[in-house]
Amino acid sequence: MISDLQPTSEARADRGLLIVGHGTEEERGRDEFARLVRKVARQAPHMLVEGCFLELASPDIAAGCAQLYEQGARDVTVVPLLLFSAGHAKRDIPEQVAAAQARLPGFNIRQAECLNCAAPLVELSALRYRQALATRAEVSSEKSLLLFVGRGSKDAEANAEMRRFAQLRQEQTPVGGVEVCFLAMAQPALAESLAAIAELRWVRIVVQPHLLFAGKLADRIAMQVAEAAKSQQDKDFVLVEPLGAEDLLVQAVLLRAGAVHGAAV
């Protein structure tokens, strides 16, 4: 049981929220996810809240549904803790949720949309950007490039949503230019973008991984940025931290859950 919390006396006994993370073999990523689930539970004491994973970690979706069912939840909202909607949100999670629902009589489940461009997530991304620059020497925004790094997907809609997110971010943190690249499955690749920057006029390159939590993907980005900084010493490279289990991410989760219910949760 990830949340490890009991419902308060104000809780509606049959209402539940299941947060589905992608899953990771890394303990630090699982710990951040568990911290987020606990924070959501504290912000929504009127609901039974549990967390589970799609793959690579336990509990899985079937176990998460069973935990809520055993606690008395019958009206459950599933929120995929995924940045964009691709195969996992469109196919894998619905299939596993349907299989779990079929085994639990009277169990009603509705799936919310992914985080996508939820306003609190855009705000959190901008906050991380400002935090990364807080102790750096001032450089004109016109001379700064924001390089967003997405995980990447074979789903064209997910990659397009990543680019829309970058546009929304530029409105909050104006810079001279914004580019989007990916770690895998989509173009341009991070390595190609970092190499191309060498020929451009930018003084500062702010590299922002669009990732929820720390882990192997964030480490891969950090290594490539460090290599680029060594070979392009005339430019100031700044690496931004992943989003993390912050209050604004909690707000984004509750916003998605509330959209399913037609009201704030």
Side-chain angles (χ1 to χ4, degrees):
M1 185 180 300
I2 288 180
S3 66
D4 197 28
L5 292 172
Q6 297 300 317
T8 66
S9 58
E10 293 83 11
R12 205 185 93 182
D14 68 340
R15 192 171 173 191
L17 174 60
L18 184 65
I19 304 171
V20 181
H22 178 277
T24 175
E25 296 175 344
E26 291 209 9
E27 184 176 359
R28 52 182 170 162
R30 295 195 302 272
D31 287 347
E32 283 197 81
F33 177 77
R35 187 159 70 92
L36 175 73
V37 173
R38 290 193 294 269
K39 293 179 79 167
V40 171
R42 285 195 291 270
Q43 289 296 315
H46 52 294
M47 302 178 73
L48 296 158
V49 179
E50 289 291 347
C52 64
F53 299 102
L54 177 62
E55 59 186 11
L56 302 176
S58 60
D60 61 12
I61 290 175
C65 289
Q67 287 170 357
L68 285 172
Y69 191 82
E70 290 168 4
Q71 294 174 63
R74 294 297 181 269
D75 183 14
V76 173
T77 299
V78 172
V79 175
L81 194 72
L82 302 173
L83 291 170
F84 302 115
S85 181
H88 285 326
K90 295 176 179 178
R91 180 188 63 252
D92 302 332
I93 292 177
E95 287 178 356
Q96 293 189 32
V97 165
Q101 185 173 12
R103 293 190 293 268
L104 302 171
F107 200 52
N108 179 44
I109 307 177
R110 291 169 289 185
Q111 181 174 322
E113 68 173 290
C114 295
L115 298 171
N116 291 323
C117 295
L121 199 70
V122 177
E123 185 179 348
L124 176 55
S125 177
L127 175 62
R128 282 285 182 256
Y129 173 91
R130 297 188 188 101
Q131 290 171 336
L133 294 178
T135 60
R136 308 292 287 238
E138 186 173 348
V139 171
S140 169
S141 60
E142 291 79 12
K143 298 179 180 179
S144 298
L145 171 71
L146 174 56
L147 181 62
F148 262 110
V149 188
R151 183 188 188 109
S153 171
K154 295 179 181 178
D155 189 299
E157 291 181 1
N159 295 329
E161 193 74 358
M162 173 73 216
R163 294 186 172 91
R164 189 168 81 88
F165 187 93
Q167 291 174 353
L168 292 171
R169 262 297 316 285
Q170 188 173 16
E171 296 172 5
Q172 292 206 12
T173 54
V175 289
V178 175
E179 293 185 10
V180 174
C181 62
F182 302 94
L183 271 175
M185 296 185 287
Q187 296 296 322
L190 172 59
E192 296 171 358
S193 294
L194 289 173
I197 286 168
E199 306 301 323
L200 302 178
R201 60 181 175 85
W202 307 111
V203 173
R204 170 169 285 164
I205 315 298
V206 183
V207 182
Q208 182 155 13
H210 192 50
L211 301 172
L212 287 169
F213 305 128
K216 291 180 180 178
L217 296 183
D219 291 345
R220 281 173 54 191
I221 294 171
M223 288 178 61
Q224 292 189 50
V225 172
E227 291 173 1
K230 287 181 182 179
S231 62
Q232 302 180 43
Q233 296 186 13
D234 60 322
K235 301 183 186 299
D236 178 31
F237 283 84
V238 180
L239 182 62
V240 182
E241 294 292 322
L243 296 166
E246 303 298 333
D247 290 345
L248 285 165
L249 182 54
V250 172
Q251 290 181 30
V253 170
L254 294 176
L255 181 68
R256 289 297 182 243
V260 170
H261 284 277
V265 298

